[in-house]
Amino acid sequence: MRTVRAHQGETLDQVCHRILGSTAEITERALRLNPGLAELGPVLPEGTPIKLPDAEPTTRRLDTVQLWT
């Protein structure tokens, strides 16, 4: 886990993408690591410290169904 600071006008999704290169499941994990962060609103105040998870979660494999051949 590491702590970063929000830039002016950033949302949590943007911070996750800027630092980790993805938002898939990371935003939800970041919200769990930062109680009260959601109450700050969608646009975070500049300089807000945010704890981010260390690594990206593993991607889930989705099975597909072929309807026609």
Side-chain angles (χ1 to χ4, degrees):
M1 177 173 39
R2 64 177 160 179
T3 302
V4 298
R5 297 199 177 269
H7 290 173
Q8 182 178 5
E10 272 190 315
T11 64
L12 181 58
D13 282 344
Q14 290 171 325
V15 173
C16 292
H17 191 269
R18 174 171 56 92
I19 302 298
L20 299 173
S22 178
T23 59
E25 295 182 22
I26 296 173
T27 304
E28 293 81 3
R29 291 173 63 198
L31 283 170
R32 286 192 297 271
L33 288 172
N34 297 276
L37 190 64
E39 282 76 34
L40 296 176
V43 177
L44 300 170
E46 183 177 8
T48 300
I50 304 162
K51 295 177 188 172
L52 294 179
D54 287 328
E56 293 185 37
T58 57
T59 56
R60 289 188 243 170
R61 181 175 171 237
L62 298 176
D63 292 328
T64 58
V65 176
Q66 185 174 354
L67 299 176
W68 296 276
T69 57

